[in-house]
Amino acid sequence: MKDTKKMATIAMLIAIQLVLTRFLSVASPLKRISFAFIALALNGALFGPIIAAISAALVDFIGALLFPIGPYFAGFTLTAAIAGLIYGLFLHNREINFKNIIPCIVLVNLVYLVLNTVWIRMLTGNEFNVLLTARAPQAILETFVKSLVLILILPRLKREALRIIK
């Protein structure tokens, strides 16, 4: 029964992340802003880096197939998987506090900033430095916002999810 609850929770977090990414987000030509990171961080905190990486990759792949915004590009799926891996490494079996959240978010946003800029450069042919310069201020702002949001709500979400699973 415990494995069934675990699988159902993972599937629910994948579905939540998919909805938050594809339907409840704001997209600009350079960046998409959403709260899907909450579901991915919770997935990483509850189930670890491997499950979070696979879940993030599935969300990106399924979202690209069912609700395409442009052509599918596997680089974005790789970036999503790395982000899930980082959330799991920093948050699984650890206390949810500043000491764990801040470096986690900084690293995740750095990975998104650099790798996704590389992928956009490959797809559009625009100069890397121009894209990076345009995307960096938003990434810095997102680092603060994501850190604050996770510090405020992730401990409670994790505690309630563990209560339901057990």
Side-chain angles (χ1 to χ4, degrees):
M1 185 65 160
K2 185 177 177 183
D3 287 338
T4 305
K5 285 184 179 181
K6 180 179 174 182
M7 291 297 292
T9 304
I10 293 167
M12 183 178 62
L13 288 171
I14 289 172
I16 290 169
Q17 190 180 352
L18 186 62
V19 168
L20 289 173
T21 301
R22 296 296 171 163
F23 298 113
L24 300 174
S25 65
V26 177
S28 73
L30 295 174
K31 192 106 170 85
R32 178 186 300 142
I33 302 167
S34 79
F35 287 97
F37 69 93
I38 298 169
L40 182 55
L42 182 58
N43 206 334
L46 291 173
F47 303 112
I50 302 301
I51 297 295
I54 292 168
S55 297
L58 280 172
V59 167
D60 186 78
F61 184 72
I62 292 168
L65 288 179
L66 296 179
F67 315 105
I69 294 168
Y72 174 74
F73 185 74
F76 295 115
T77 304
L78 175 63
T79 304
I82 292 169
L85 185 75
I86 294 167
Y87 279 120
L89 289 171
F90 278 83
L91 303 176
H92 184 60
N93 291 332
R94 296 177 187 220
E95 187 178 341
I96 307 299
N97 57 24
F98 282 104
K99 185 180 84 173
N100 294 324
I101 288 178
I102 301 297
C104 175
I105 296 300
V106 168
L107 188 56
V108 165
N109 279 359
L110 188 62
V111 164
Y112 276 125
L113 176 65
V114 173
L115 287 182
N116 283 353
T117 302
V118 170
W119 310 141
I120 293 169
R121 194 256 182 259
M122 289 173 66
L123 290 171
T124 65
N126 294 337
E127 287 298 318
F128 179 82
N129 292 339
V130 172
L131 290 169
L132 189 66
T133 303
R135 293 168 48 85
Q138 187 173 357
I140 292 168
L141 179 62
E142 275 187 15
T143 299
F144 291 110
V145 172
K146 287 180 178 181
S147 297
L148 180 64
V149 168
L150 289 183
I151 287 166
L152 291 175
I153 69 170
L154 192 58
R156 174 79 187 251
L157 286 175
K158 182 179 178 183
R159 189 171 47 253
E160 291 301 318
L162 286 173
R163 185 182 61 78
I164 292 168
I165 294 170
K166 304 233 181 212

